[in-house]
Amino acid sequence: MKLPEHPVIETKRLILRLVEQSDLPALFAVNGDDEVIRYTPHESWKTPADGEAWFSRVTANHAGGAALQFVIALRDGAPIGTMVLFHFNEPTGSAEVGYSLARSFWGQGLMKEALGAFVDFSFETLGLKRLEAQLDPRNPASAKVLERTGFTREGHQRRNFFAKGELSDTGLYGMLHDDPRPAVAK
C-alpha cells in the first residue's frame, strides 16, 4: 500500500488529514472527555502530556507503517475528531478502522460523512480490499454509523475484551471493496 504524501479527504462539511502536533489542543476536547472515549481501549487525556505521549505513539506508528491517524475537522475550524486505519494485513488487503468525535457534534451525521469518505479513500486510493471495525455492543450509536456507511455485522464475541478494569463483549463489522455503499456528500 502506497500512501499519498499529504493525503487530504474532503466532504461537503469536513476535511480529513493526517494529524499534526498543532492539533493536540483541539483534540484534548475529544480525548479528554470520558463519555467520548468510554468504549475505547485507552484512558481519557488528563493533561497535555497525555496528548503529547499519544502523538509520539501516533508518529511512530505512522513512520513504521502500523497505522494512519487522521483528524476530522470542519471545513472552517479546528479538529473535532479522529479517524485511524490500523491492523494492516497485506496478504488479505485488509485493515481496521476506528474513530471518535467530540460530543458536541454527535447526532449531526458528521461521523457517517467522515467514515463514508474514509472508506472510499481506503478502497479507491489505498487499494484495500476489506475494512473491519470492532465496537462495544453497548455503543449502539457507533453500530448505526457503521451500518449506515455500508458495514455488515459479522459477529459478536462474548466477554473477550478487557479495558479500563472491565470485561466486555465485541461486535465485529466488515465491508468488502465491492460491497454496495452509500454515496458520500461531497
Side-chain angles (χ1 to χ4, degrees):
M1 173 187 72
K2 183 163 171 50
L3 180 68
E5 192 168 326
H6 299 287
V8 175
I9 305 165
E10 296 187 44
T11 71
K12 183 177 180 181
R13 301 180 288 174
L14 303 169
I15 295 176
L16 286 76
R17 59 171 172 71
L18 293 176
V19 67
E20 299 171 355
Q21 191 161 15
S22 61
D23 297 322
L24 293 179
L27 291 177
F28 194 86
V30 178
N31 293 304
D33 184 335
D34 289 335
E35 190 64 24
V36 171
I37 62 98
R38 178 176 180 205
Y39 299 112
T40 68
H42 62 275
E43 297 291 336
S44 63
W45 297 357
K46 304 297 183 208
T47 68
D50 293 336
E52 292 290 342
W54 173 84
F55 185 74
S56 292
R57 288 189 305 275
V58 164
T59 303
N61 284 337
H62 188 152
L68 297 174
Q69 182 73 58
F70 285 72
V71 294
I72 303 166
L74 295 173
R75 282 190 161 272
D76 59 354
I80 60 169
T82 60
M83 185 86 55
V84 63
L85 199 59
F86 62 111
H87 288 158
F88 294 102
N89 183 322
E90 208 168 316
T92 64
S94 66
E96 187 173 340
V97 64
Y99 46 83
S100 63
L101 186 67
R103 190 177 352 171
S104 60
F105 294 96
W106 291 359
Q108 300 175 32
L110 292 168
M111 187 52 75
K112 179 183 179 284
E113 186 175 322
L115 183 57
F118 200 68
V119 164
D120 288 349
F121 170 80
S122 298
F123 288 145
E124 308 310 326
T125 302
L126 300 181
L128 293 174
K129 303 297 179 214
R130 175 179 167 80
L131 289 175
E132 300 171 352
Q134 296 185 24
L135 60 78
D136 188 316
R138 297 172 298 175
N139 187 356
S142 187
K144 282 182 186 176
V145 166
L146 289 170
E147 290 165 1
R148 288 178 180 163
T149 309
F151 280 80
T152 300
R153 184 172 184 263
E154 296 181 337
H156 183 105
Q157 294 178 321
R158 298 178 299 154
R159 292 189 289 183
N160 72 318
F161 187 74
F162 187 80
K164 301 176 191 157
E166 182 178 41
L167 188 60
S168 63
D169 293 0
T170 302
L172 306 172
Y173 288 78
M175 180 189 294
L176 300 176
H177 176 271
D178 51 354
D179 284 347
R181 53 190 191 265
V184 176
K186 293 189 178 184

